[in-house]
Amino acid sequence: MKVLVVEDDKEVAQFIGSSLQQIGYVVDRCEDGKQGLLQASVETYDAIILDRMLPGLDGLNLLKTLRATGSNVPILLLSAMADVSHRVEGLQAGADDYLTKPFAFSELHARLEVMFRRNTHESGEQTSLHCADLSLNLLTQEAKRAETLISLQPREYRLLEYLLRNQDRVVTRTMLLESVWDYHFDPQTNVIDVHISRLRNKIDKPFSQVLIHTIRGRGYVIKSGL
Amino acid sequence: MLLNRAFNLVKSSSFRFSLTVMGALWLTFSLILFTLYQIVKTSLWDNVDILFEQQEAQVVALFEDDNSFESLPALRKKLNEIGDQVGVEIELTILNPIQDLASIAEIEAQDEEVEDFNECAAEFEYWLEELEIEDAYFDSESGDFMLDEDSDWEEYDIQESDEFRIAQLALNDGNYVTLSYNLGYLKEVDDALYQALMIGLILSFIVLLIGTLILTRRTITRLSVINQTCDIIIQGQLEERIPLSDRHDDYDHMAKNINSMLDRIASLMQGVQEVSDNIAHDMRTPLTRLHNRLEQFSTDSNEAQQESFKEAVIQDTNRILNLFNALLNIGKLEKSTLDIPKTNINLGQLLTDVAEMYEPLAQEKGMSVQLDILDFNVLANPDLVFQAFSNLFDNAIKYSEANTTIKLSCRDGLVVLQDSGKGIELDDYDKVFRRMYRLERHRGSEGHGLGLTQVKAIFNFHHWDIQLANAHPGLKIMVQTQANAD
């Protein structure tokens, strides 16, 4: 996986770069907007991590320019501004995801993984999702495990769908909030955990094999193996 | 000191302003007066000319009548009457009333030929006597009439044309009558008028200057009081306030505004002080924990231990980061909020989402949730409003007992959230919205004490009103939202 990091804060760039290299990514770094735009159009990347505030050309304009040239490389926008308005602005400009500083590297990692998947698997409409003996029919919205029909609340269905779509990848609580509940906010308590445990009660509890795993300090993952 | 004050006075803009205004008024006034003076003056002189012409005509008529010359005193009397008619005393002198044409020619001939007036001296002497002109004699050397030292006659300086009007009338018989009109008094009147005008204008200018000084001195004194107080405050005596007068005018208003501004700043500063104290206090716990953990860490621990250590450390730092993020967000909401977008949302739907999200949490603690929600459209930022109501709902769950009910209703934009917990003391209603204020009994529990502050900031941003009430038992939170006008 090849990632371009466009970030003028050396320490943050260093942190992202070395952390990504540790998990086996190839990382290129740029410190200003114009250089970043040039680099992004010359080389092919699997993802770009882009800071909003950059010298030369700011992140949002870089993003718009890049999108205007027809590039659909996944872009994750980084921002020191926690304002919701900036998030919406960034997503509207064509960013695939938005992360506010300071962030945990696990959050960045999880979001990058999901972005990669989205980019590679987007082609072709899926009608059902599977994980081991669990299946989710996207047309009838029915969940089955080992031929047993499981009744799900609408929100539980969306939660399961999101987990299944990102099978084998860790999804963080914030990601779940944003995509399953459509609200971007800080829940302060373990409310997500309660929803997950409800889902577990329905999907995992009656069966021997556990599918939904908690990754401590990071989030959740649905996977068949261990 | 006095010089300094005078200098300050002149320097002040209000003084210059009043001086300009009053000066302009004075200038206009003086221009009008001056024009008036000019008009009076011209008409006065014109009037004199008319009078003079009238007299001239009368005198001509008198002299054309030969009978007038029969008696010289009668003629004099008549001439005086003419003078009296116009109400001014005229000095009338009949010069050279010589009836013999030959002798005139003789005098004239002698004038031209010899520079000696001896021959006609006798003639003139005779006429001086005849006309009863005393105190004067004829100087044959120069050909002039000379006045005695102690004569009653005044000698007029004829070169001053202003003082005399002279007309020479040529009579039919070849004689000349010279009418002279003494205008000295008119000039005096004119001068007096002019002087009065000038003195008046200068006096009024002085009065104006003093008046302006006195008027602006008041303003300046009050301004300088304000400025001095501000200087004192700038130098560090922050509790100093501008004294108010009892006039209730605009200066008082300004002073009052500055004072309340200072009060507001002081209370904000106190708030900041409290917050930083609280931050320091609340930070100490996670930071100490982090510190202890780091101290306990040994490099020869196994992988599982390292993993759990890392996770614990991340959790500690996350707590600190969350606290700061919450503080930053509140700050942003309280500051400029113009760029936060608002959209038309269904508040009922949003509240249902909140309830749905937190219901499992409530059920886990053995509470039930009772909803009574009607659709209501508002113009708001959905993320922020969701955050606010989730904070409230989360609190309701956190501070309620098991086997109780949480009621959430929304009717006509009035959102009521009621729990059956311990509630909040009346005294604490305002305090709970303060930054990092935590009720004593909750000090130990989880949370950073910013939840309600955030709620308040969000509702303030939307101009919604939040009120707390006692639900006996429990707390009743009422939020009055505003319908979207569109």
Side-chain angles (χ1 to χ4, degrees):
Chain A
M1 288 291 174
K2 201 169 170 190
V3 177
L4 175 67
V5 179
V6 190
E7 163 68 84
D8 61 323
D9 186 330
K10 286 206 180 75
E11 218 157 296
V12 177
Q14 169 72 32
F15 162 67
I16 299 172
S18 60
S19 308
L20 285 176
Q21 273 160 357
Q22 263 182 24
I23 53 168
Y25 284 49
V26 178
V27 179
D28 282 344
R29 290 200 325 227
C30 286
E31 283 189 4
D32 76 276
K34 282 181 186 156
Q35 203 193 334
L37 183 62
L38 190 72
Q39 190 76 19
S41 35
V42 170
E43 292 250 357
T44 319
Y45 291 99
D46 292 303
I48 298 174
I49 298 171
L50 183 63
D51 188 37
R52 245 190 91 117
M53 303 278 240
L54 285 172
L57 182 71
D58 81 272
L60 218 55
N61 282 326
L62 197 161
L63 176 64
K64 283 177 188 162
T65 319
L66 209 59
R67 287 290 185 243
T69 61
S71 161
N72 60 352
V73 55
I75 294 177
L76 190 142
L77 211 55
L78 285 183
S79 163
M81 295 173 279
D83 260 329
V84 274
S85 56
H86 293 125
R87 191 182 122 81
V88 174
E89 208 179 10
L91 295 179
Q92 275 170 354
D96 294 85
D97 210 342
Y98 194 97
L99 197 55
T100 42
K101 290 190 246 180
F103 53 86
F105 177 70
S106 56
E107 184 79 36
L108 177 72
H109 183 202
R111 281 169 191 266
L112 273 180
E113 292 281 322
V114 168
M115 266 179 16
F116 290 149
R117 183 207 59 82
R118 213 182 286 155
N119 205 34
T120 47
H121 293 280
E122 207 76 332
S123 53
E125 192 82 358
Q126 283 174 290
T127 53
S128 64
L129 299 165
H130 300 273
C131 178
D133 53 351
L134 174 71
S135 72
L136 189 69
N137 190 325
L138 295 177
L139 301 175
T140 59
Q141 307 212 330
E142 279 174 345
K144 267 187 195 164
R145 185 155 187 200
E147 298 309 311
T148 319
L149 202 65
I150 304 165
S151 84
L152 293 175
Q153 300 280 327
R155 199 67 69 180
E156 289 165 345
Y157 168 79
R158 285 184 66 180
L159 196 57
L160 185 61
E161 184 196 342
Y162 189 78
L163 285 170
L164 280 172
R165 277 191 190 277
N166 297 296
Q167 236 180 96
D168 301 326
R169 289 185 188 83
V170 178
V171 290
T172 64
R173 291 174 177 83
T174 327
M175 285 160 76
L176 286 174
L177 267 180
E178 283 170 15
S179 40
V180 177
W181 274 273
D182 294 330
Y183 294 105
H184 181 79
F185 79 111
D186 168 25
Q188 297 190 13
T189 35
N190 56 346
V191 62
I192 299 287
D193 298 357
V194 179
H195 280 272
I196 290 286
S197 89
R198 283 201 152 195
L199 189 62
R200 270 193 180 133
N201 284 344
K202 287 185 177 174
I203 287 167
D204 281 343
K205 216 177 180 183
F207 307 95
S208 55
Q209 195 192 1
V210 174
L211 295 177
I212 301 174
H213 303 269
T214 307
I215 312 293
R216 290 196 68 187
R218 290 175 66 187
Y220 300 98
V221 64
I222 191 160
K223 59 180 176 183
S224 49
L226 279 174
Chain B
M1 185 61 203
L2 201 72
L3 207 75
N4 198 24
R5 267 171 68 180
F7 182 64
N8 277 339
L9 203 63
V10 174
K11 233 174 33 176
S12 95
S13 59
S14 61
F15 173 72
R16 276 179 292 184
F17 174 73
S18 352
L19 198 65
T20 318
V21 171
M22 291 179 86
L25 274 174
W26 176 81
L27 214 65
T28 322
F29 180 64
S30 56
L31 266 173
I32 291 169
L33 276 183
F34 203 75
T35 320
L36 266 175
Y37 160 74
Q38 283 295 342
I39 291 168
V40 166
K41 188 180 163 185
T42 323
S43 72
L44 206 65
W45 285 105
D46 282 353
N47 204 28
V48 166
D49 284 344
I50 291 164
L51 282 177
F52 200 61
E53 271 163 27
Q54 281 174 354
Q55 276 178 290
E56 223 177 280
Q58 282 179 358
V59 171
V60 167
L62 190 69
F63 279 85
E64 273 174 353
D65 185 5
D66 287 341
N67 299 332
S68 311
F69 291 97
E70 278 172 4
S71 147
L72 206 56
L75 181 65
R76 253 178 204 283
K77 207 179 158 217
K78 273 182 183 164
L79 282 171
N80 278 333
E81 274 168 11
I82 292 170
D84 289 341
Q85 268 170 26
V86 289
V88 279
E89 194 168 323
I90 57 166
E91 295 288 329
L92 188 99
T93 315
I94 302 171
L95 289 174
N96 202 21
I98 301 165
Q99 283 169 323
D100 188 350
L101 278 172
S103 71
I104 291 174
E106 216 170 274
I107 293 166
E108 279 176 352
Q110 278 199 342
D111 256 356
E112 283 161 21
E113 282 162 21
V114 258
E115 294 290 313
D116 185 13
F117 297 92
N118 281 330
E119 278 189 35
C120 51
E123 190 90 14
F124 282 114
E125 298 280 357
Y126 164 77
W127 279 110
L128 281 173
E129 225 168 279
E130 190 74 4
L131 290 167
E132 296 166 9
I133 297 169
E134 290 165 4
D135 320 323
Y137 60 91
F138 185 75
D139 182 17
S140 54
E141 296 284 309
S142 62
D144 282 339
F145 284 101
M146 303 299 280
L147 292 173
D148 287 343
E149 294 276 312
D150 55 347
S151 85
D152 295 332
W153 294 64
E154 275 180 60
E155 194 169 18
Y156 294 106
D157 189 359
I158 311 280
Q159 271 145 2
E160 275 279 1
S161 62
D162 277 356
E163 291 190 14
F164 276 101
R165 278 294 147 93
I166 292 171
Q168 271 211 322
L169 305 176
L171 300 181
N172 284 343
D173 56 1
N175 278 335
Y176 290 91
V177 172
T178 306
L179 278 176
S180 76
Y181 195 0
N182 180 8
L183 296 175
Y185 82 98
L186 253 188
K187 179 130 180 72
E188 272 166 30
V189 169
D190 186 5
D191 284 347
L193 255 178
Y194 186 75
Q195 263 178 17
L197 181 71
M198 280 304 144
I199 291 168
L201 286 182
I202 289 165
L203 270 178
S204 64
F205 186 77
I206 292 167
V207 167
L208 169 141
L209 204 68
I210 292 168
T212 313
L213 276 172
I214 290 169
L215 273 179
T216 42
R217 207 181 70 91
R218 230 189 199 176
T219 321
I220 285 155
T221 327
R222 303 195 57 194
L223 271 180
S224 74
V225 166
I226 294 173
N227 275 331
Q228 277 164 10
T229 320
C230 287
D231 282 339
I232 292 170
I233 294 165
I234 288 165
Q235 278 158 21
Q237 292 185 38
L238 300 177
E239 65 289 340
E240 192 73 26
R241 291 293 177 268
I242 299 160
L244 296 178
S245 74
D246 42 11
R247 285 193 204 95
H248 304 293
D249 55 4
D250 46 348
Y251 285 98
D252 274 340
H253 193 190
M254 182 173 79
K256 220 183 272 173
N257 276 347
I258 293 174
N259 281 350
S260 48
M261 192 173 76
L262 288 169
D263 288 342
R264 173 111 179 95
I265 291 170
S267 84
L268 280 177
M269 267 173 60
Q270 199 199 342
V272 170
Q273 186 73 42
E274 269 173 25
V275 169
S276 49
D277 286 353
N278 283 333
I279 291 175
H281 183 268
D282 280 38
M283 276 307 169
R284 209 167 45 193
T285 324
L287 279 175
T288 316
R289 204 169 349 157
L290 185 64
H291 178 85
N292 291 344
R293 239 190 267 282
L294 286 169
E295 265 188 342
Q296 282 161 13
F297 179 70
S298 67
T299 41
D300 45 55
S301 53
N302 64 35
E303 206 164 294
Q305 279 174 327
Q306 280 182 17
E307 196 58 41
S308 79
F309 166 77
K310 188 179 150 195
E311 201 197 306
V313 168
I314 286 173
Q315 259 182 10
D316 284 344
T317 48
N318 269 347
R319 261 186 84 142
I320 301 168
L321 282 177
N322 281 340
L323 181 63
F324 277 122
N325 277 341
L327 274 174
L328 274 175
N329 283 333
I330 292 167
K332 249 173 226 150
L333 274 173
E334 286 176 349
K335 229 165 39 193
S336 157
T337 47
L338 291 172
D339 57 343
I340 296 178
K342 286 184 189 172
T343 50
N344 184 29
I345 56 166
N346 184 346
L347 187 67
Q349 185 56 49
L350 187 139
L351 289 171
T352 316
D353 285 347
V354 174
E356 185 230 41
M357 181 162 212
Y358 282 89
E359 198 175 4
L361 201 66
Q363 281 169 357
E364 210 175 54
K365 284 186 77 178
M367 302 165 198
S368 59
V369 176
Q370 196 179 314
L371 298 180
D372 175 19
I373 294 170
L374 295 182
D375 284 355
F376 190 72
N377 283 334
V378 291
L379 188 67
N381 184 292
D383 288 335
L384 291 177
V385 175
F386 197 93
Q387 176 82 65
F389 282 112
S390 73
N391 282 4
L392 293 177
F393 215 97
D394 190 50
N395 276 351
I397 295 170
K398 215 184 279 176
Y399 301 122
S400 288
E401 308 292 314
N403 301 319
T404 55
T405 308
I406 295 169
K407 291 177 196 158
L408 178 65
S409 73
C410 170
R411 280 174 182 277
D412 298 326
L414 179 70
V415 183
V416 180
L417 179 69
Q418 192 177 330
D419 64 37
S420 322
K422 291 192 198 81
I424 299 174
E425 295 292 320
L426 197 69
D427 292 346
D428 291 330
Y429 277 4
D430 282 336
K431 290 185 196 159
V432 289
F433 290 114
R434 279 196 212 154
R435 280 192 173 122
M436 310 197 78
Y437 180 84
R438 303 188 66 187
L439 296 177
E440 229 18 79
R441 60 174 188 264
H442 299 147
R443 269 253 168 229
S445 64
E446 222 179 285
H448 43 48
L450 286 170
L452 282 177
T453 317
Q454 201 174 21
V455 168
K456 181 91 173 163
I458 289 170
F459 289 153
N460 277 350
F461 164 68
H462 287 96
H463 304 291
W464 294 354
D465 186 44
I466 180 167
Q467 278 185 344
L468 304 180
N470 199 336
H472 307 285
L475 182 70
K476 193 172 170 184
I477 300 167
M478 288 162 293
V479 183
Q480 182 60 58
T481 64
Q482 282 163 13
N484 188 4
D486 303 334

